[in-house]
């Protein structure tokens, strides 16, 4: 009864057609992080921020889960032990691929958050700057996304899962964004076997015991087949 904890990043969604941030032509090349992914950027220009996430929400709705998403859902359904997926991604491809035990540590595009009272509700496909909160009526609606300088969601629970893992896996992560990039060190200290799936080693790649290089749709599906056959 082995517990497998899986961290996923932009690389797993890129194969479905979701733009990544850190590629040379990625979202950070088109927008400054300070402008669209910080509370201060939202305060300066809420229209720009809301439009940025409206565009990402529309893009996410046009793509489909890929073989890696589906393989992780199969692993969860058929593995004798526990499988937990922690994603840094804000799309819903894991859910649509069938994963149930899922944590969105950086929020999700389908959520709205009140910057005044912290109330959360389902976001419309197109948000507008100045939308009113349905709880307190303040014109302070924002995307329910964890921006730089904010604390990721469910951190105590996530660390508990990571330190209880027998196998810790990272798929398509850059290793540049903390605290997620520190999970591998936590898992190693707790005795987990650690595996990285990526197109190339991440910034914390030297901390993994095993590497599988290549597209996640190929490497992850092969690994899931190995686990289930074992």
């Amino acid at each position: 009864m082995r517990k497998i904890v899986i961290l996923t990043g932009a690389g797993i969604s890129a194969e479905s057609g979701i733009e990544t941030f850190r590629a040379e032509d990625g979202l950070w090349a088109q927008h400054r992080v300070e402008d669209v992914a910080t509370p201060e950027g939202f305060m300066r220009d809420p229209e720009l921020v809301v439009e940025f996430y409206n565009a990402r929400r529309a893009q996410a709705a046009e793509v489909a889960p890929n073989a890696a998403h589906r393989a992780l859902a199969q692993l969860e359904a058929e593995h004798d032990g526990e499988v937990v997926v922690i994603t840094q991604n804000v799309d819903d491809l894991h859910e649509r691929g069938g994963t149930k035990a899922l944590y969105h540590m950086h929020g999700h595009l389908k959520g709205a958050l009140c910057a005044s009272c912290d109330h959360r509700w389902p976001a419309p496909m197109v948000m507008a700057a100045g939308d009113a909160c349905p709880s307190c009526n303040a014109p302070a609606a924002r995307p329910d996304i964890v921006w730089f300088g904010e604390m990721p969601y469910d951190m105590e629970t996530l660390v508990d899962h990571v330190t209880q893992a027998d196998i810790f896996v990272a798929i398509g992560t850059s290793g540049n964004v903390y605290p997620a990039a520190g999970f591998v060190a936590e898992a190693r200290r707790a005795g987990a076997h650690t595996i990285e799936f990526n197109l190339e080693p991440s910034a914390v790649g030297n901390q993994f015991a095993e590497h599988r290089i290549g597209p996640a749709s190929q490497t992850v599906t092969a690994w899931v087949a190995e686990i289930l056959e074992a």
Side-chain angles (χ1 to χ4, degrees), residues 10-18 64 66 68-69 199 214-219:
I12 195 170
S13 292
E15 286 191 69
S16 290
I18 296 287
N66 61 55
H69 294 106
L199 295 177
S217 59
Q218 299 173 21
T219 57

Side-chain angles (χ1 to χ4, degrees), residues 1-219:
M1 298 291 286
R2 293 178 299 171
K3 177 167 181 169
I4 302 174
V5 176
I6 300 163
L7 173 70
T8 67
I12 195 170
S13 292
E15 286 191 69
S16 290
I18 296 287
E19 285 186 280
T20 64
F21 284 95
R22 297 180 185 279
E24 289 184 5
D25 59 347
L27 294 168
W28 291 152
Q30 303 166 37
H31 300 275
R32 294 196 322 146
V33 59
E34 297 88 352
D35 293 334
V36 296
T38 63
E40 294 79 12
F42 180 70
M43 291 177 64
R44 284 195 304 270
D45 194 344
E47 289 84 4
L48 172 66
V49 174
V50 168
E51 288 175 5
F52 174 80
Y53 289 99
N54 283 344
R56 296 196 63 201
R57 195 178 299 110
Q59 182 200 30
E62 294 175 353
V63 302
N66 61 55
H69 294 106
R70 295 191 295 271
L72 294 183
Q74 180 187 9
L75 179 66
E76 179 187 37
E78 299 180 15
H79 178 53
D80 288 338
E82 183 182 5
V83 176
V84 175
V85 176
I86 302 166
T87 188
Q88 297 172 274
N89 299 333
V90 295
D91 58 63
D92 64 348
L93 293 177
H94 280 301
E95 292 96 320
R96 288 160 55 195
T99 294
K100 302 292 192 299
L102 176 67
Y103 293 89
H104 277 275
M105 65 181 298
H106 291 161
H108 55 102
L109 290 168
K110 287 193 169 182
L113 167 67
C114 178
S116 178
C117 75
D118 290 335
H119 177 68
R120 289 177 170 81
W121 66 97
M125 182 58 71
V126 178
M127 295 182 67
D131 278 351
C133 168
S135 179
C136 73
N137 210 40
R142 53 164 275 189
D144 190 10
I145 303 296
V146 176
W147 289 327
F148 287 94
E150 297 180 328
M151 180 61 69
Y153 296 145
D154 303 310
M155 276 304 298
E156 289 188 12
T157 299
L158 301 188
V159 171
D160 285 344
H161 281 303
V162 168
T163 56
Q164 293 165 8
D166 297 297
I167 301 174
F168 174 78
V169 173
I171 303 170
T173 64
S174 69
N176 287 304
V177 179
Y178 285 83
F183 285 168
V184 60
E186 297 276 359
R188 283 186 57 170
R189 278 194 291 270
H193 178 62
T194 56
I195 313 172
E196 180 174 70
F197 294 79
N198 222 331
L199 295 177
E200 59 186 18
S202 71
V204 292
N206 62 348
Q207 299 190 45
F208 287 87
E210 183 180 345
H211 295 83
R212 303 208 180 188
I213 302 300
S217 59
Q218 299 173 21
T219 57

